[in-house]
Amino acid sequence: PYQRQVYDLFLPENLREDLQKKSEAARQILQPGVHLPSLQHYHSLVPLDTKIRGATNTFGLPSWVFKATSRKNGNVFCLRRIEGFRLTNEEAIKAVNSWKKIIHPNIVTTIEAFTTRDFNDSSLVFVHSYHPLSKTLAEHHFSTNRFGRPTAVPERVLWSYLVQLASALKAIHKAKLAARCIDISKVIITEKNRIRLSACSIQDVLHFEVPRRIEELQQEDFFSLGRLILSIATNTPPRNLGDLRLPLEQLGRTYSIELKERISWLLSPPQNMATKTAEHLVYDLAQHADDVLVASLDTEDELTTHLGRELENGRLVRLVAKLGSINERPEFDGDPNWAETAERYTLKLFRDYVFHQVDSQGSPVVDLGHIISCLNKLDAGIDEKIYLTSRDHQSTFVVSYKELKKQLQGAFSELLKAGSKTQANRSY
Amino acid sequence: PYQRQVYDLFLPENLREDLQKKSEAARQILQPGVHLPSLQHYHSLVPLDTKIRGATNTFGLPSWVFKATSRKNGNVFCLRRIEGFRLTNEEAIKAVNSWKKIIHPNIVTTIEAFTTRDFNDSSLVFVHSYHPLSKTLAEHHFSTNRFGRPTAVPERVLWSYLVQLASALKAIHKAKLAARCIDISKVIITEKNRIRLSACSIQDVLHFEVPRRIEELQQEDFFSLGRLILSIATNTPPRNLGDLRLPLEQLGRTYSIELKERISWLLSPPQNMATKTAEHLVYDLAQHADDVLVASLDTEDELTTHLGRELENGRLVRLVAKLGSINERPEFDGDPNWAETAERYTLKLFRDYVFHQVDSQGSPVVDLGHIISCLNKLDAGIDEKIYLTSRDHQSTFVVSYKELKKQLQGAFSELLKAGSKTQANRSY
Ligand SMILES: Nc1ncnc2c1ncn2[C@@H]1O[C@H](COP(=O)(O)OP(=O)(O)OP(=O)(O)O)[C@@H](O)[C@H]1O
Ligand SMILES: Nc1ncnc2c1ncn2[C@@H]1O[C@H](COP(=O)(O)OP(=O)(O)OP(=O)(O)O)[C@@H](O)[C@H]1O
Ligand SMILES: [Mg+2]
Ligand SMILES: [Mg+2]
């Protein structure tokens, strides 16, 4: 009952690689010599910007993005420095407080904001959650080092973006806020087709002195969303879109009527009486939201399966650790023959049985499946019996996995008991 | 930069336990002596039924549920035996073919069906995906061993059930099929609040000889869905619901008007002109589907984080394995002092530094955070230097992690080179 194919036991290579690269990115540090200041309790800053900025960008001021580690909890965060911003009203920075409460899978969480003189100027710093190796939608879809004509983005990807950002807007508008940053450079891709609004709260602080009606800003969010999808669908950077009717026609030629209608609705000028609402948008997107939901539930299932398997590997590793700490032990309690006598001798022969199988010609049989199956049987302590042969082939034992398990536990607890009390920890 | 809190490094205990219990359940086998037949390539059957059945149930015939392992791939499946069913038309069993194509996160996948005489009668066996430790909605909500009055099911759980089953119905009806098994005993909970239709295709085979219009069966699915939610909401087993207007009133007193309206719609007799569609239902549930989507995306993020951390642990385990295979090695290549000389000696002192820290009084300091931080630094090979002191306190070395990493790789590849070629596998 313990046979499983070996490929089943390991994480798919691409997922493993992706997770490893992300973990490396999160742990990356600068070469010694390069120096960036620490900001409050954030240290080990590493720049995340991929391009050298001109002076004007989304925020009208140069901005710089870093990852940094918090001394408080060792976690990594994303810091955005707005260069040369002099805060004239201390109240402005409190605008981030409402944003801290917005926790949503399509919104990068706002942690805090503060001013700093550590860059030898007046800078404003926003702290957000860090998503290793994320790219902006602009970087993802308008990458310049691509050769030839970029292929059209599949319609279901556009629907998925719409569904995710509609869900984000619903949460934001419900909290009486407006996103104000729905822009291909401010929406980041963090996993396959998963997007998040990355720069929330910033505009609220920067423009605190010239407040605008929240309803008006919310209506602008819908317009920005329409423009964003239009830009990606027609492969045209926003600044080149010009009169929106033309790209909308172009979109209509490649994609469904339904998509064109949704985008038209988003772009249509607000009618006095019929303001747009995120709920309305969520209704209109219902069938596509169902597709996104199905995909997400499938991903959940896959991840759960992978996690379960990784845990199984962990269980086997602990078992091998126990076995390894008994087998070939040079001496125990003054007895240099401990590992070679009584139950420990059986466990030694079992180790040979597990790891040192040979074929009839005496050549090694390296079979991960055999190893894993043996270890699983040992762990379960089943009644199945196996033959163990001494290295000199002079004697043979018949022993069940059940007995082996008992012997392993016995020998290991001898070690544990003799070891320092404090070192016997729960990992075994 | 490598400091992380220890609690961050391990999977939350409840998730780990849940996954472990499920993995144990999947690996569970019967005590020797108990014997169930193998069915085709399915062996090691274990009954999953939790109650002794009377003769009548959902299918009008006694049914028995088992888990079994496939000899083809070692995977575990769920088998349902319909006892005493004599297949009169070979075509009937082909009804499962359309069901095999229905892959959906809220539907248990149908694998195949066959007849068998291995139970010494004519039985029909349906093979479905196996979901360890799942419970039926009936078992979950109407468990009899609960004390006192059961607490009311939160409204968002009911909406979540509705959203999930609406999504399942949409997929099923789109394929021109009908579920025919929306019943509290045939919907299983496999993860927290995650439900799946568990017995698809069975009715289609059993009633193959008396076919009914698919449109009619689909309309019945909506009615069954309404009844199912009504039953759970009012804590009344379906057979006790009686005239549905009363429990519907009762539901209205505890839950929102919106929920009552949705259930009324599901229960309303089909109007000739306006048949219900799953799309319509999906529209009506849009705002609640958004909640389910947000929850699912959050779960995805959590699982991804956990998986990344388990992989990090795996990386450290491999590092410890390398270190362990060098440290204290009794002899190598005929040299009993190998582990005590040259770079291996530094690695031995490093091992002491990592695992055997003592305080100024000489008492052991057991600090998992220290161990993990050291190993992460070693893995990264950073420039940070540490002091290593010999056990007799006579000499001290200054060495960087970078150098230590090089030494570890050097010593380990010596071992690898000398080892059997076939055993040097990719796991290191
Ligand atoms: N929360 C985050 N976690 C990780 N990386 C992020 C995060 N937010 C942004 N980034 C990354 O930082 C880089 C710079 O982001 P930024 O928003 O400055 O984009 P940009 O193209 O430079 O836009 P702008 O012209 O407005 O500066 C991008 O690669 C982006 O993916
Ligand atoms: N695909 C599956 N994977 C794992 N367990 C399942 C699966 N399908 C059903 N089960 C479990 O098998 C047990 C019996 O299921 P069954 O459908 O027979 O329920 P029941 O209450 O006995 O209903 P009935 O009266 O119709 O027989 C339940 O605990 C259920 O959770
Ligand atoms: Mg930038
Ligand atoms: Mg049953």
Side-chain angles (χ1 to χ4, degrees):
Chain A
Y2 298 102
Q3 276 145 24
R4 276 245 302 276
Q5 298 198 320
V6 171
Y7 65 77
D8 263 8
L9 290 165
F10 298 105
L11 217 54
E13 207 46 54
N14 53 351
L15 178 56
R16 177 182 295 273
E17 245 179 52
D18 182 57
L19 289 171
Q20 256 158 7
K21 279 190 193 150
K22 283 182 173 166
S23 136
E24 277 162 30
R27 283 178 295 116
Q28 194 210 332
I29 47 169
L30 287 182
Q31 290 307 308
V34 185
H35 187 70
L36 282 167
S38 285
L39 305 175
Q40 303 207 351
H41 58 96
Y42 299 99
H43 64 89
S44 306
L45 271 66
V46 174
L48 296 180
D49 288 294
T50 50
K51 49 182 185 189
I52 319 289
R53 302 295 323 148
T56 49
N57 68 352
T58 317
F59 306 111
L61 286 168
S63 88
W64 308 90
V65 181
F66 308 91
K67 86 176 178 73
T69 307
S70 160
R71 223 179 298 280
K72 281 192 190 164
N73 53 22
N75 289 334
V76 181
F77 292 93
C78 175
L79 270 51
R80 184 184 298 268
R81 168 192 172 206
I82 309 286
E83 188 182 325
F85 181 83
R86 190 179 302 274
L87 196 73
T88 48
N89 186 339
E90 276 300 325
E91 287 299 304
I93 219 149
K94 292 191 188 151
V96 301
N97 288 337
S98 332
W99 281 101
K100 288 189 205 167
K101 293 172 209 145
I102 307 286
I103 314 285
H104 187 284
N106 300 113
I107 303 173
V108 177
T109 309
T110 301
I111 311 292
E112 58 170 330
F114 52 82
T115 56
T116 184
R117 299 200 155 270
D118 287 319
F119 292 104
N120 299 317
D121 71 344
S122 316
S123 284
L124 191 57
V125 176
F126 291 88
V127 183
H128 285 99
S129 302
Y130 168 66
H131 294 274
L133 295 187
S134 57
K135 284 179 172 186
T136 68
L137 281 182
E139 287 164 351
H140 186 71
H141 291 288
F142 299 108
S143 165
T144 43
N145 25 6
R146 248 196 276 172
F147 299 102
R149 273 189 74 114
T151 49
V153 180
E155 179 156 336
R156 77 184 152 65
V157 173
L158 298 177
W159 284 119
S160 172
Y161 288 174
L162 272 171
V163 166
Q164 294 177 69
L165 292 176
S167 183
L169 284 186
K170 187 177 156 184
I172 291 170
H173 292 186
K174 202 174 166 192
K176 304 209 186 320
L177 296 166
R180 307 178 74 172
C181 60
I182 300 193
D183 183 281
I184 52 167
S185 80
K186 292 295 157 283
V187 177
I188 58 175
I189 303 205
T190 58
E191 277 88 25
K192 192 163 162 36
N193 290 343
R194 169 71 82 82
I195 56 174
R196 299 176 210 247
L197 269 175
S198 80
C200 290
S201 84
I202 300 185
Q203 299 284 26
D204 286 357
V205 176
L206 295 186
H207 302 294
F208 184 79
E209 297 288 5
V210 274
R212 291 174 52 197
R213 279 183 57 238
I214 195 72
E215 293 78 12
E216 197 183 316
L217 294 170
Q218 289 177 342
Q219 293 304 306
E220 278 183 18
D221 280 346
F222 295 109
F223 182 80
S224 307
L225 177 56
R227 239 173 98 89
L228 178 138
I229 303 291
L230 188 59
S231 160
I232 297 170
T234 59
N235 194 42
T236 315
R239 63 174 176 285
N240 300 343
L241 278 176
D243 182 339
L244 296 183
R245 274 168 302 183
L246 272 95
L248 198 57
E249 284 310 312
Q250 190 189 332
L251 179 147
R253 284 193 293 277
T254 323
Y255 297 100
S256 69
I257 299 176
E258 193 197 347
L259 184 65
K260 191 181 163 190
E261 275 173 4
R262 283 291 87 69
I263 306 299
S264 308
W265 182 80
L266 288 169
L267 294 172
S268 63
Q271 261 110 45
N272 241 350
M273 285 289 89
T275 51
K276 290 163 193 157
T277 65
E279 272 82 8
H280 188 142
L281 183 57
V282 165
Y283 265 120
D284 280 349
L285 296 173
Q287 307 304 324
H288 305 286
D290 181 52
D291 294 340
V292 177
L293 177 60
V294 165
S296 175
L297 292 175
D298 279 340
T299 306
E300 239 186 63
D301 287 346
E302 263 174 51
L303 289 170
T304 306
T305 306
H306 294 324
L307 196 54
R309 281 183 192 152
E310 287 300 311
L311 283 189
E312 296 212 338
N313 288 339
R315 192 170 47 82
L316 298 188
V317 166
R318 275 196 296 281
L319 207 58
V320 176
K322 284 188 191 181
L323 205 54
S325 62
I326 297 161
N327 294 152
E328 312 298 328
R329 194 172 193 88
E331 68 100 45
F332 177 70
D333 209 15
D335 175 7
N337 288 320
W338 181 79
E340 301 288 324
T341 50
E343 63 203 23
R344 280 86 57 187
Y345 182 60
T346 326
L347 291 172
K348 176 191 165 121
L349 297 188
F350 176 68
R351 189 268 326 264
D352 287 349
Y353 175 84
V354 175
F355 294 101
H356 305 149
Q357 289 274 328
V358 287
D359 61 19
S360 54
Q361 273 80 48
S363 316
V365 178
V366 180
D367 175 0
L368 195 50
H370 166 76
I371 295 174
I372 289 179
S373 146
C374 289
L375 293 173
N376 268 323
K377 288 176 183 176
L378 177 65
D379 191 45
I382 65 172
D383 281 285
E384 185 179 324
K385 288 186 165 64
I386 51 175
Y387 285 89
L388 299 179
T389 311
S390 68
R391 288 194 162 189
D392 61 8
H393 299 285
Q394 295 307 303
S395 46
T396 297
F397 302 76
V398 180
V399 64
S400 72
Y401 280 100
K402 196 172 184 168
E403 290 163 292
L404 283 165
K405 184 176 180 176
K406 221 178 282 168
Q407 294 175 348
L408 180 70
Q409 276 161 349
F412 188 71
S413 59
E414 254 189 80
L415 287 181
L416 267 192
K417 248 179 278 165
S420 157
K421 295 265 151 37
T422 39
Q423 295 196 20
N425 69 44
R426 68 186 184 112
S427 357
Y428 282 103
Chain B
Y2 298 103
Q3 277 144 22
R4 275 245 302 277
Q5 297 198 320
V6 170
Y7 64 78
D8 264 8
L9 290 165
F10 298 104
L11 218 54
E13 207 47 51
N14 53 350
L15 178 55
R16 176 182 297 274
E17 243 178 53
D18 182 57
L19 288 171
Q20 256 158 8
K21 279 190 193 149
K22 284 183 174 167
S23 135
E24 277 162 30
R27 283 178 295 116
Q28 195 210 331
I29 48 169
L30 287 183
Q31 291 306 310
V34 185
H35 187 71
L36 282 167
S38 286
L39 305 175
Q40 303 209 349
H41 57 95
Y42 299 99
H43 64 90
S44 304
L45 272 65
V46 175
L48 297 180
D49 287 293
T50 51
K51 48 181 183 188
I52 319 290
R53 301 297 321 149
T56 48
N57 68 352
T58 317
F59 307 110
L61 285 168
S63 88
W64 308 91
V65 181
F66 308 91
K67 84 175 179 74
T69 307
S70 160
R71 223 179 296 281
K72 282 191 188 164
N73 53 22
N75 290 334
V76 181
F77 293 91
C78 176
L79 270 49
R80 183 183 298 268
R81 168 192 171 205
I82 310 286
E83 188 181 326
F85 181 84
R86 191 179 301 274
L87 197 72
T88 48
N89 185 338
E90 276 300 324
E91 288 298 304
I93 218 148
K94 293 192 186 148
V96 301
N97 288 335
S98 333
W99 281 101
K100 288 189 204 168
K101 294 173 207 143
I102 307 285
I103 314 287
H104 187 284
N106 301 112
I107 303 173
V108 177
T109 309
T110 301
I111 311 293
E112 59 171 328
F114 52 82
T115 55
T116 185
R117 299 201 156 269
D118 288 319
F119 292 104
N120 300 318
D121 71 344
S122 315
S123 284
L124 191 56
V125 176
F126 291 88
V127 183
H128 285 100
S129 300
Y130 168 67
H131 294 274
L133 295 188
S134 56
K135 283 180 173 185
T136 67
L137 281 182
E139 287 163 350
H140 185 70
H141 290 289
F142 299 107
S143 168
T144 43
N145 25 7
R146 247 197 276 174
F147 299 103
R149 272 188 76 110
T151 48
V153 180
E155 179 157 336
R156 76 184 154 64
V157 172
L158 298 177
W159 284 119
S160 172
Y161 288 175
L162 272 172
V163 166
Q164 294 177 69
L165 292 177
S167 183
L169 284 186
K170 187 178 156 184
I172 291 169
H173 291 188
K174 203 173 164 192
K176 304 209 187 319
L177 296 166
R180 306 178 74 170
C181 59
I182 300 194
D183 184 282
I184 52 166
S185 78
K186 291 296 156 284
V187 177
I188 58 175
I189 304 205
T190 57
E191 277 88 24
K192 190 165 164 34
N193 290 342
R194 170 70 81 83
I195 56 174
R196 300 177 209 246
L197 268 176
S198 82
C200 290
S201 85
I202 299 184
Q203 299 284 26
D204 286 357
V205 176
L206 294 186
H207 302 293
F208 184 79
E209 297 288 5
V210 272
R212 291 174 53 198
R213 278 184 58 238
I214 195 72
E215 292 77 13
E216 198 184 315
L217 294 170
Q218 289 178 343
Q219 293 304 307
E220 279 183 17
D221 281 346
F222 296 108
F223 181 80
S224 307
L225 177 55
R227 238 174 99 90
L228 178 138
I229 302 291
L230 188 60
S231 159
I232 296 170
T234 59
N235 195 41
T236 316
R239 63 176 176 282
N240 300 343
L241 278 176
D243 183 339
L244 296 183
R245 276 168 301 185
L246 272 96
L248 200 56
E249 285 309 312
Q250 189 189 333
L251 178 146
R253 285 194 292 276
T254 323
Y255 297 101
S256 69
I257 300 176
E258 194 197 347
L259 184 66
K260 190 181 164 190
E261 276 174 3
R262 282 293 86 69
I263 306 299
S264 308
W265 182 80
L266 287 168
L267 294 174
S268 63
Q271 260 108 46
N272 239 350
M273 286 286 92
T275 50
K276 292 163 193 157
T277 66
E279 271 82 9
H280 189 143
L281 183 57
V282 166
Y283 266 119
D284 280 348
L285 296 172
Q287 307 304 326
H288 305 286
D290 181 52
D291 294 340
V292 177
L293 177 59
V294 165
S296 175
L297 292 174
D298 280 340
T299 307
E300 238 186 64
D301 286 348
E302 262 174 54
L303 289 170
T304 306
T305 306
H306 295 324
L307 196 55
R309 280 183 193 151
E310 287 301 310
L311 283 189
E312 294 212 342
N313 288 340
R315 193 169 47 80
L316 298 188
V317 166
R318 273 196 297 280
L319 209 57
V320 176
K322 284 187 190 182
L323 205 55
S325 62
I326 297 162
N327 294 153
E328 314 296 327
R329 195 172 191 88
E331 69 99 41
F332 176 70
D333 208 16
D335 175 9
N337 288 320
W338 181 79
E340 301 288 325
T341 50
E343 62 203 24
R344 278 88 56 189
Y345 182 58
T346 326
L347 291 172
K348 175 191 165 121
L349 297 188
F350 176 67
R351 189 268 327 262
D352 286 349
Y353 175 84
V354 175
F355 295 101
H356 305 151
Q357 288 274 330
V358 287
D359 62 19
S360 53
Q361 272 81 47
S363 316
V365 178
V366 180
D367 176 359
L368 195 51
H370 166 77
I371 295 173
I372 289 179
S373 147
C374 290
L375 292 173
N376 267 323
K377 288 175 181 175
L378 178 66
D379 191 46
I382 64 173
D383 281 285
E384 186 180 323
K385 288 186 166 65
I386 52 174
Y387 286 88
L388 299 179
T389 311
S390 67
R391 287 192 161 191
D392 61 7
H393 299 286
Q394 296 307 302
S395 46
T396 298
F397 302 77
V398 181
V399 63
S400 71
Y401 281 100
K402 196 172 184 167
E403 290 163 294
L404 283 165
K405 183 177 181 177
K406 222 178 282 168
Q407 294 174 349
L408 180 70
Q409 275 161 349
F412 188 71
S413 57
E414 255 189 81
L415 288 181
L416 267 192
K417 249 177 281 167
S420 155
K421 294 267 150 38
T422 39
Q423 294 198 20
N425 69 44
R426 68 188 185 112
S427 357
Y428 282 103

